[in-house]
Amino acid sequence: MKVKRFLLILDALIICVLLFVLILFFFSHSNKGSFVPYKTADETVLVGPQYKTISDSLITTVNKEGPHAAIAQLRNEMQKDPKVLSSCHELFHIIGRASYNKYNNFSKAMLYRDDTCVSGYVHGVIEAYSWQNKNNNNLMSLCNDTPRGKYSRWSCIHGIGHGLMFSSKSNVPYAIQKCTEFKTFSDQDACYSGVYMQNFNFDPDDNPSKYVSFTDPFQACRLSSNHLDECYVNAPLFYLNYRPGDFTGATKWCGNVPLLYQKNCYEGVGSQIAAQLFSSPHKVELLCDHSPNVSACLTGMMSWYIDYYAALNPAEKICPTFNSSDQKICNQVIANTSSMF
């Protein structure tokens, strides 16, 4: 009898603890994190009319000379202008969209595949395909021929996440529900990451999302999902798009995130610091060393360099230049990612 009574008490305590955790989780997901965007453009990023000018020029080049010429044009601009370099992922999206629109053929557009700048070209091709084939279920099978567990598959399915958002006019609940159609957790994760990245890369003139705002930045992260880590990893993209260079503010902003996911937010800050200071890895390292979670920030930083090149070798050359403790983290990120290449 005493054993049964003990077990009943234990069960009651477990239920109470679970209820407490659920209540804590609910309240920690309140709409914290509101912020005021900068009123003037930062000189380190490409925004507004500047962005439109170069994107329009790239589209014209695709139509007149082909995707290869537009890619060469963008690479040249990236070398000359750090602001273009910091926006290269989005600009490769533009080239990818224009390429599919030019040929109206997925396979032909993918002949010009370029994975530089976090596979932005691939994502853009898939976005345009999804827009022109809204009722075509083939979207979810576009990446079936890519090898499982490899970066090429991750980047392709990540692009499907972008495409789901693009074709649904940023309907986040719809997009994350479609991502569940993938059978494996890793494929779902890649899809979710594309959805959340598109959500937080907010552009009022390009399918703006209703699930992110300056007054409620984390709204998308309160939707039901088994991949909330991807939501919080991508959230700093929104903050630093509108407060470029405010890296200290971004790390403080992550304090509004539920404790369970703060590490992911710091990782996202590291990625975005690397994106905005791409040519200065030591500056990124120094900023990460002052982060509340150095390991998470450096992990995000190195993940961005790996994703940028879609290869390990360029990122591997960075590790030996770090201080000894940061080298260990850097090398661990490389080791954890090596099986994908």
Side-chain angles (χ1 to χ4, degrees), residues 6-24:
F6 172 77
L7 290 175
L8 286 171
I9 294 172
L10 183 61
D11 287 342
L13 286 172
I14 291 172
I15 291 171
C16 288
V17 170
L18 289 174
L19 285 172
F20 175 76
V21 170
L22 286 172
I23 291 169
L24 182 65

Side-chain angles (χ1 to χ4, degrees), residues 27-212:
F27 282 107
S28 66
H29 272 66
S30 62
N31 58 338
K32 297 177 181 178
S34 62
F35 68 93
V36 178
Y38 285 153
K39 292 183 178 179
T40 56
D42 187 280
E43 291 300 318
T44 63
V45 295
L46 197 65
V47 293
Q50 292 177 308
Y51 182 87
K52 188 175 187 310
T53 297
I54 189 169
S55 61
D56 287 349
S57 175
L58 292 170
I59 293 170
T60 298
T61 302
V62 169
N63 292 332
K64 288 185 176 180
E65 303 175 50
H68 63 290
I71 291 170
Q73 176 185 336
L74 177 55
R75 286 183 179 277
N76 184 49
E77 292 294 331
M78 286 161 58
Q79 291 179 348
K80 294 190 299 183
D81 190 342
K83 292 185 289 186
V84 176
L85 180 61
S86 70
S87 301
C88 67
H89 178 76
E90 292 76 17
L91 291 169
F92 265 102
H93 269 247
I94 296 295
I95 297 175
R97 291 180 202 168
S99 299
Y100 181 83
N101 291 335
K102 176 182 175 70
Y103 300 115
N104 199 30
N105 183 290
F106 181 78
S107 297
K108 190 165 185 178
M110 288 294 282
L111 290 175
Y112 301 92
R113 177 172 184 162
D114 191 307
D115 282 312
T116 306
C117 291
V118 200
S119 302
Y121 179 85
V122 177
H123 305 162
V125 171
I126 295 175
E127 283 176 344
Y129 174 92
S130 68
W131 182 257
Q132 292 192 27
N133 298 274
K134 295 185 183 69
N135 299 318
N136 189 338
N137 289 328
N138 287 341
L139 172 66
M140 303 304 290
S141 60
L142 282 179
C143 307
N144 282 1
D145 293 336
T146 54
R148 294 189 179 278
K150 297 302 180 182
Y151 184 83
S152 58
R153 184 178 184 85
W154 183 92
S155 65
C156 184
I157 295 179
H158 177 93
I160 289 177
H162 280 282
L164 289 168
M165 288 285 282
F166 199 70
S167 60
S168 68
K169 296 185 178 179
S170 298
N171 185 336
V172 179
Y174 164 80
I176 60 178
Q177 178 59 38
K178 290 291 288 183
C179 286
T180 63
E181 293 183 12
F182 288 106
K183 302 302 182 185
T184 68
F185 185 88
S186 59
D187 285 352
Q188 289 179 9
D189 207 53
C191 183
Y192 273 77
S193 69
V195 169
Y196 290 130
M197 187 177 187
Q198 188 73 22
N199 178 73
F200 289 112
N201 203 12
F202 183 89
D203 184 341
D205 299 320
D206 187 8
N207 293 318
S209 172
K210 297 178 181 178
Y211 293 88
V212 63

Side-chain angles (χ1 to χ4, degrees), residues 220-335:
C221 302
R222 297 198 301 277
L223 298 171
S224 178
S225 168
N226 292 325
H227 301 264
L228 287 179
D229 54 337
E230 290 292 350
C231 192
Y232 288 110
V233 161
N234 282 283
L237 178 62
F238 178 62
Y239 183 94
L240 287 169
N241 269 355
Y242 286 92
R243 293 184 65 88
D246 184 19
F247 306 126
T248 300
T251 55
K252 291 180 179 177
W253 184 69
C254 285
N256 295 292
V257 168
L259 188 60
L260 182 63
Y261 297 104
Q262 284 186 12
K263 176 179 74 70
N264 303 114
C265 189
Y266 293 131
E267 186 178 328
V269 171
S271 291
Q272 294 312 309
I273 295 174
Q276 292 190 14
L277 299 177
F278 183 83
S279 300
S280 306
H282 285 289
K283 288 184 180 179
V284 184
E285 180 194 16
L286 184 62
L287 286 163
C288 280
D289 284 341
H290 290 85
S291 166
N293 190 323
V294 176
S295 177
C297 185
L298 288 172
T299 296
M301 169 195 178
M302 292 312 302
S303 296
W304 179 265
Y305 280 105
I306 293 169
D307 288 344
Y308 175 89
Y309 292 107
L312 292 180
N313 289 343
E316 287 173 331
K317 295 177 182 178
I318 295 174
C319 294
T321 67
F322 285 171
N323 65 54
S324 57
S325 60
D326 291 346
Q327 279 186 35
K328 293 178 182 178
I329 300 170
C330 185
N331 288 323
Q332 189 60 53
V333 175
I334 300 290

